[in-house]
Amino acid sequence: MDPHRRRRRTWCCTFAASPDNSKPGPRKPEPHSKPTFSLPTSPKSRIAARIDPRRILSPGRVSPIDSDPVAGAAVPSPSPSPSPAPPSPVAGDRDVRMSLRGKNGGCMVLEVNSGVLCANSEVFAGLIADYNKGVSSFSGSNKMCRIEVPEVENLGVFRETIELMFENEDGLTKRLLNIGVFRSIDVLEVSAGIMFTKGVLSCLQYLEAVPWTEEEEEKLRNLFTRFKFDEATTRDILGRLYLQDSVDSSSQPNVARQLVWSITTCVDAKARNELKSLMKGLLCKSSVYEKNHLDLSKEDLYSVCHSCLDSLVSLFEEASDTITPEKLLTKKDKNKPLIERISRQVDNINWLLEIMLDGQIAEDFVNIWAEQHQLVKMHDDVSPMIRYELSRISAILFVAMATRKLQCKVEARWGLLQAWFRPMLLDFGWLQRCRRGLDIKVLQEAMGQTLLTLPLNQQYLLFMEWFRHFSSHGTECPNLSKAFQIWWRRSFLRGSETFAIESR
């Protein structure tokens, strides 16, 4: 016969449980009063310190019981004892009746052996000891002890925890494996509440050895904030939940900066795009993850950004045959087409810019990009199929300013447009053919709106340049007609008011 089945049959003979759906009627007065014991509720009491107050909100009691046996449970009839003290329970006797009252209704009655309870739970051992003291001087008391536990969160989990007391170590591990992580966390909570040490240790060992879902992890984290476990027992689990403080944080490398740097230097395009999407999701303001652990500062982002800009300048020097020998790239990078290497650096800068815009720290980049005089100068000397990549960076800034995601001073806006408005006019045809996710209608609207944020005399210079270019290149040039009309109305239809003010 299977040894596991044999043990289960033996266990069934020592443990019984049945639902109790009947409402208890008024108890008749007994001819001889019997002692009644309540769960202590003072701050110094053992129960108040061991059981979560949300689990037991009102005092239970331990008292002799004379009620009829529960339906479906074979309860041995108590025999009168000749001595005042109740007889010691025989192994296998169900001499404790535990009434569980659910927090949301329902009830359950468990009949168990007091020896098993006392050996596994300090809480129940104390209750049963109090009961024995109370009835030691009472003659004729039956030996059935009654324990009531109200406000039980989950009746099934409580019963399952009591059942684990009857398992050996191997059986207990198998039971936890069968019920899974989520329910094992509930069992751990009940075990901690009733001080079931073997159950607590088994649950912690099981939970440490298996993976968790995010929901299970959050549930376990909440449990650890409400219960204090032995440090040696929980060290491995806490190591999975929290960063250890044993190492000085100042000596740890900046993980986020290392990751961002690795992405910008990644050669494989598919992997780079996948990692960019991953990191952007982790770093964005709406991320569900705690960004404090990443610790990516403004200085870190701009440091990586300056490195990408330096690489971009070197690549355009290579494209315009003005690069110095000491700036020649490595042989590995030289094997890649020049246009691919330029496009990669532009993608890196735009990705970093998106992170800056989300963190509202992109204002400084406007000045940095406006001061790239070397790139502006080389723009006219390289092929249009390469130089248009620079206008992709300008396009991100124009759209951000027009959609109010980026606010900067008028000097910064004027510097940006002075440097990059003309290159944008020249590159617009290539931007239309190679959009790379860019919405051309949004870009045209953004360019016009950005121009309109300048003083009228500065708008005049830029709109006249656009007018001349548009008349020569047509659809190869952005259509700023709507913004041009607004500038015209502001400049001339109300011009008489302006002249009147100036003449005073």
Side-chain angles (χ1 to χ4, degrees):
M1 180 181 295
D2 186 356
H4 297 296
R5 295 185 178 179
R6 185 185 302 113
R7 182 171 63 254
R8 181 57 54 86
R9 269 207 303 273
T10 305
W11 172 82
C12 287
C13 294
T14 60
F15 185 98
S18 62
D20 185 5
N21 297 322
S22 61
K23 295 183 179 179
R27 187 180 292 273
K28 296 181 180 180
E30 299 180 1
H32 301 284
S33 60
K34 299 179 181 180
T36 300
F37 296 90
S38 299
L39 293 173
T41 56
S42 65
K44 295 183 179 180
S45 69
R46 182 169 57 235
I47 298 303
R50 300 296 186 264
I51 294 186
D52 186 350
R54 296 184 303 173
R55 291 291 182 267
I56 298 182
L57 301 180
S58 61
R61 64 180 182 274
V62 182
S63 65
I65 185 168
D66 294 328
S67 58
D68 295 333
V70 179
V75 182
S77 301
S79 56
S81 173
S83 61
S88 300
V90 181
D93 284 354
R94 293 186 297 273
D95 54 347
V96 175
R97 179 173 296 176
M98 188 182 301
S99 299
L100 311 177
R101 302 291 174 179
K103 186 175 182 179
N104 299 319
C107 58
M108 182 178 291
V109 178
L110 310 179
E111 294 184 354
V112 294
N113 177 258
S114 62
V116 176
L117 286 180
C118 292
N120 288 279
S121 168
E122 293 184 31
V123 171
F124 289 133
L127 291 175
I128 294 172
D130 291 342
Y131 162 76
N132 289 335
K133 291 177 184 178
V135 299
S136 61
S137 60
F138 181 77
S139 177
S141 169
N142 62 35
K143 64 177 182 180
M144 181 67 75
C145 168
R146 185 170 113 180
I147 299 176
E148 292 190 0
V149 184
E151 298 293 322
V152 177
E153 187 76 25
N154 189 314
L155 295 173
V157 171
F158 202 101
R159 169 181 175 163
E160 205 153 22
T161 306
I162 300 298
E163 289 177 353
L164 293 177
M165 295 181 181
F166 293 83
E167 296 281 0
N168 59 25
E169 205 162 311
D170 291 338
L172 201 154
T173 302
K174 290 179 181 178
R175 290 283 295 271
L176 293 176
L177 188 62
N178 289 333
I179 64 177
V181 172
F182 195 87
R183 197 167 178 87
S184 292
I185 298 173
D186 291 329
V187 171
L188 173 60
E189 183 173 1
V190 176
S191 298
I194 63 176
M195 298 188 69
F196 174 25
T197 305
K198 185 174 71 173
V200 169
L201 291 175
S202 297
C203 288
L204 290 174
Q205 290 172 1
Y206 166 69
L207 293 171
E208 192 280 327
V210 295
W212 311 322
T213 65
E214 289 193 24
E215 183 182 8
E216 292 163 349
E217 177 184 342
E218 187 63 26
K219 186 175 182 180
L220 191 58
R221 194 187 299 272
N222 291 334
L223 178 62
F224 271 74
T225 62
R226 292 185 284 112
F227 282 87
K228 180 70 174 177
F229 297 98
D230 177 67
E231 183 179 353
T233 310
T234 58
R235 184 184 297 112
D236 293 335
I237 290 184
L238 292 175
R240 290 174 58 177
L241 290 173
Y242 307 99
L243 285 174
Q244 300 299 320
D245 297 329
S246 57
V247 181
D248 184 9
S249 59
S250 61
S251 64
Q252 293 179 343
N254 190 316
V255 178
R257 180 177 178 177
Q258 287 185 346
L259 293 175
V260 170
W261 187 276
S262 298
I263 291 172
T264 58
T265 56
C266 181
V267 177
D268 186 273
K270 185 175 181 181
R272 185 173 64 252
N273 292 334
E274 185 71 24
L275 292 174
K276 281 181 179 179
S277 178
L278 171 64
M279 283 301 296
K280 184 182 176 183
L282 294 175
L283 295 172
C284 71
K285 290 178 66 176
S286 59
S287 173
V288 298
Y289 300 99
E290 298 179 22
K291 293 179 284 298
N292 291 338
H293 291 174
L294 293 171
D295 194 25
L296 184 65
S297 66
K298 176 180 176 179
E299 291 73 20
D300 293 331
L301 278 173
Y302 276 95
S303 175
V304 179
C305 190
H306 277 294
S307 176
C308 294
L309 285 171
D310 291 342
S311 298
L312 192 60
V313 171
S314 298
L315 290 170
F316 267 80
E317 288 177 344
E318 183 181 345
S320 59
D321 295 326
T322 59
I323 191 170
T324 57
E326 60 270 15
K327 287 188 176 180
L328 283 173
L329 300 179
T330 63
K331 183 178 179 180
K332 179 181 178 181
D333 287 333
K334 288 285 289 183
N335 291 333
K336 298 285 184 181
L338 180 62
I339 188 172
E340 180 181 337
R341 286 179 275 146
I342 291 176
S343 179
R344 185 178 75 189
Q345 291 303 332
V346 170
D347 284 339
N348 289 337
I349 294 171
N350 281 347
W351 174 63
L352 293 170
L353 184 53
E354 289 175 1
I355 297 175
M356 294 177 190
L357 288 169
D358 187 75
Q360 298 179 348
I361 55 173
E363 293 83 0
D364 292 345
F365 186 82
V366 178
N367 289 321
I368 293 172
W369 188 237
E371 294 170 359
Q372 297 298 313
H373 305 301
Q374 193 174 0
L375 282 175
V376 174
K377 184 178 179 181
M378 290 187 291
H379 180 274
D380 293 334
D381 300 332
V382 298
S383 168
M385 66 183 301
I386 292 178
R387 72 186 187 194
Y388 91 95
E389 292 280 355
L390 298 177
S391 291
R392 289 175 52 211
I393 299 175
S394 302
I396 296 292
L397 293 174
F398 289 143
V399 172
M401 286 189 285
T403 55
R404 304 175 184 177
K405 293 181 179 179
L406 175 61
Q407 296 84 40
C408 53
K409 294 181 179 180
V410 64
E411 294 82 7
R413 299 195 302 272
W414 173 239
L416 175 69
L417 287 163
Q418 269 189 312
W420 293 106
F421 183 69
R422 181 176 175 275
M424 177 69 77
L425 297 180
L426 295 173
D427 295 336
F428 194 79
W430 276 89
L431 289 173
Q432 290 184 99
R433 288 186 287 272
C434 307
R435 299 189 179 189
R436 308 283 291 275
L438 190 64
D439 190 320
I440 297 300
K441 290 184 178 180
V442 172
L443 175 59
Q444 291 181 115
E445 180 73 16
M447 291 178 66
Q449 290 296 323
T450 304
L451 262 66
L452 291 173
T453 64
L454 299 174
L456 289 175
N457 58 336
Q458 293 177 353
Q459 292 183 39
Y460 166 76
L461 298 175
L462 296 175
F463 274 119
M464 292 307 295
E465 184 173 3
W466 166 79
F467 197 91
R468 290 190 297 268
H469 197 86
F470 188 74
S471 62
S472 302
H473 297 85
T475 57
E476 290 288 299
C477 180
N479 190 341
L480 307 183
S481 300
K482 183 178 178 180
F484 184 84
Q485 293 178 44
I486 296 174
W487 166 76
W488 180 273
R489 174 175 54 80
R490 290 175 178 173
S491 299
F492 300 108
L493 296 185
R494 299 178 183 177
S496 56
E497 299 176 9
T498 304
F499 295 138
I501 292 173
E502 291 178 348
S503 62
R504 290 177 183 177

